Amino acid sequence: MSGVRRLGARWRRRRPLRTRLAVAASAAVALVAVGVCAAAFFVIRYELLHQLDLSLTQSATRVIQENRGEGPQTVAGECRYLSAPACAQIVPADPAADPDAGYLLPVATPVREVAAGKRAPYYSNVSRFGQPLRMLTTPFGDGRALQVALRADPVERGVRQAAVLLAAVGGAGVLLAGLLGYAVSRTGLAPVARLTSTAERIAATRDPRHRIELPPGPPGRQDEVTRLAASFNTMLGELEQSVSSQRRLVADASHELRTPLTALRTNAELLARGDRLTPAQRERASGALERGIREVTGLVNDLIELARDEEPLPLLEDVRIAEVVEHAVAVARTHWPQTPFPLEAGAGAAEAVRPGVPARLTRLLTNLLDNAAKFSPPGTPVEVALSAYGTGDGGPGNGGGDGLELTVRDHGPGIPAEDLPYVFDRFYRAEAARALPGSGLGLAMARQIARAHGAELTAAAAPGGGALFTMTFGPEGPPGGGGP
């Protein structure tokens, strides 16, 4: 039995899904068709024999009524003809009482037992006159039994005809089952075939822009295979976006690295000929080389940070957001001594705790504060505010302490409306920022860190001028979305 199962499993592995589905559907329909035909055959056979047995019972009743009190004898013997009445004979329980003329129908021991009352009436099949007969043996009374027989060849002929007809119908049903199974597998697996073809084409061309054609119709009425194809199209869209993003990142990174690497190589070649330089020239070249190394190191570190989409789970801990903000503001004051950083913490915000990585949150705030200070004129403040708000009444500013909102506002030139949708893109630098130091990765990294911690970072033009960055934390709980 296990060998048969192994053989079946090997056959399923070597056959495509369409063939297996066609065979399964065909086998199911064929089994139903054969089962219905077999059931119909047995029903027809039973009914024909039942009708013959009823005729024998009626003939036996009539003979008993017409020959009551008669002794052992042959009552009628014309059953060799189709239109003749039934053959009938009376048989005693004691063979010594048999008539001298003998019997027309065979007399066996069970017949004597019925005559003696030791056995119930029964039907049997016998042959006489070269024809099959159906015979009923029933008690006649006073130690006698009555045997009644009719020709059974019409019934047998009808059974054979029914068998041939039903076999033909069953064969046609099996053939139709095969055709239906092939049609079902071809139609039902058409989306799967398109999905397979698309996947193979993508694997061959490495181009995720291909899509699977879906049948028309509302999404709610699509079958499972169509929904699978739609999900595959969605996955391809995400893959295409990811590939495009990676290509843009590589292109932008190579473009941004080209200038500092060229400067590094130039300064390195200049220092290699240090004997031809004055001490002041060597000092300038060495300082430029050091600054270039720091710039390239910072750019590479930023790219590594951006390539990581989420925070490592082992580094997560409960972070008091107000303390992180205070630390980041203190560091910014040392980096930008000419820029005031007033900090305002609202009621309920000082004790707010969120799960996160303190170093990453500090990096986020440092990027925001450095960006604001870089665009602020000397002496103008960068305003930092941390407040709590309730989530049950629709947004910030209503108390309750369920959520946190951090704002960083500068008084610089602000962000032009046409640049607002792109300020968080990698390597994007507005027209006014291209003359300033930086790689254009700080804000992109800040948004990525915020989303990894379940927060949302947005930028807007501040009332009265300047830029306003707002970071919103939801209710206390694990970071959402793609966070840790």
Side-chain angles (χ1 to χ4, degrees):
M1 193 61 167
S2 59
V4 174
R5 283 198 296 267
R6 286 197 299 270
L7 182 61
R10 192 181 303 115
W11 183 88
R12 287 193 296 271
R13 287 195 300 268
R14 293 181 178 179
R15 293 297 181 272
L17 178 60
R18 177 178 295 180
T19 301
R20 284 181 281 158
L21 181 60
V23 170
S26 302
V29 178
L31 184 62
V32 172
V34 171
V36 169
C37 291
F41 169 76
F42 286 111
V43 168
I44 293 173
R45 180 176 177 273
Y46 171 79
E47 288 297 330
L48 291 176
L49 289 176
H50 184 61
Q51 291 296 327
L52 182 58
D53 292 344
L54 287 178
S55 299
L56 287 173
T57 302
Q58 293 173 356
S59 299
T61 302
R62 186 176 61 253
V63 171
I64 291 173
Q65 292 175 351
E66 294 176 354
N67 298 274
R68 194 177 302 275
E70 296 289 337
Q73 60 177 309
T74 299
V75 179
E78 296 86 3
C79 61
R80 71 182 65 190
Y81 306 108
L82 287 176
S83 58
C87 292
Q89 62 186 24
I90 302 172
V91 180
D94 184 6
D98 289 342
D100 296 335
Y103 297 110
L104 185 64
L105 301 175
V107 178
T109 301
V111 179
R112 307 289 184 181
E113 293 176 353
V114 172
K118 299 179 181 180
R119 181 171 180 158
Y122 67 93
Y123 295 94
S124 59
N125 297 315
V126 297
S127 295
R128 276 292 183 269
F129 323 116
Q131 301 293 339
L133 300 177
R134 180 74 168 171
M135 185 173 66
L136 168 64
T137 302
T138 184
F140 191 76
D142 297 332
R144 294 168 295 175
L146 175 65
Q147 291 181 285
V148 182
L150 285 172
R151 284 185 56 173
D153 51 311
V155 173
E156 294 181 356
R157 190 182 307 111
V159 171
R160 286 195 299 270
Q161 291 175 350
V164 172
L165 180 60
L166 290 175
V169 172
V174 172
L175 180 61
L176 180 61
L179 296 176
L180 289 177
Y182 175 77
V184 167
S185 65
R186 185 178 181 85
T187 303
L189 294 180
V192 177
R194 291 196 295 268
L195 188 150
T196 304
S197 175
T198 302
E200 291 174 347
R201 188 161 60 248
I202 293 173
T205 62
R206 297 181 179 273
D207 185 0
R209 292 177 297 177
H210 299 287
R211 295 294 184 273
I212 302 172
E213 296 182 6
L214 301 178
R221 297 183 180 179
Q222 294 176 345
D223 57 21
E224 290 79 0
V225 178
T226 304
R227 290 202 300 271
L228 173 63
S231 300
F232 190 76
N233 282 344
T234 303
M235 183 188 69
L236 288 177
E238 296 293 336
L239 177 62
E240 180 183 2
Q241 184 178 358
S242 176
V243 170
S244 300
S245 177
Q246 290 180 359
R247 289 174 178 172
R248 286 197 305 270
L249 177 61
V250 172
D252 292 340
S254 62
H255 176 75
E256 292 293 332
L257 284 170
R258 187 177 294 115
T259 300
L261 288 177
T262 301
L264 285 176
R265 185 176 63 181
T266 301
N267 289 317
E269 292 175 352
L270 187 61
L271 287 174
R273 298 192 295 269
D275 55 339
R276 303 179 186 179
L277 302 177
T278 64
Q281 290 174 332
R282 284 198 299 271
E283 184 176 355
R284 286 197 302 270
S286 178
L289 182 62
E290 183 179 356
R291 288 192 301 273
I293 291 175
R294 285 200 304 268
E295 182 180 354
V296 172
T297 302
L299 181 58
V300 171
N301 289 335
D302 289 345
L303 288 173
I304 294 174
E305 295 290 343
L306 282 172
R308 185 176 62 185
D309 289 336
E310 58 184 26
E311 309 302 333
L313 291 177
L315 300 181
L316 285 179
E317 58 182 277
D318 290 336
V319 180
R320 199 178 299 275
I321 302 299
E323 294 180 357
V324 176
V325 174
E326 291 174 0
H327 174 72
V329 169
V331 173
R333 286 169 180 163
T334 61
H335 288 172
W336 305 89
Q338 297 182 350
T339 301
F341 288 89
L343 172 60
E344 178 183 354
E351 303 299 324
V353 174
R354 294 293 185 274
V357 182
R360 300 285 289 155
L361 291 172
T362 302
R363 181 64 181 274
L364 182 158
L365 296 172
T366 300
N367 287 356
L368 290 181
L369 296 175
D370 288 347
N371 181 79
K374 183 169 60 177
F375 287 96
S376 296
T380 59
V382 173
E383 302 168 2
V384 183
L386 180 65
S387 60
Y389 66 88
T391 59
D393 47 12
N398 296 307
D402 289 330
L404 286 176
E405 181 183 79
L406 174 69
T407 59
V408 177
R409 187 256 172 93
D410 64 58
H411 293 270
I415 304 175
E418 61 272 14
D419 292 330
L420 273 176
Y422 310 105
V423 293
F424 294 106
D425 290 352
R426 297 167 180 171
F427 298 105
Y428 183 80
R429 307 184 71 186
E431 189 71 28
R434 292 178 182 172
L436 298 175
S439 62
L441 294 177
L443 292 180
M445 186 182 305
R447 170 170 275 189
Q448 178 172 297
I449 297 174
R451 287 181 172 174
H453 286 79
E456 185 61 32
L457 181 62
T458 59
L468 176 65
F469 290 88
T470 304
M471 184 169 63
T472 305
F473 288 91
E476 185 174 354

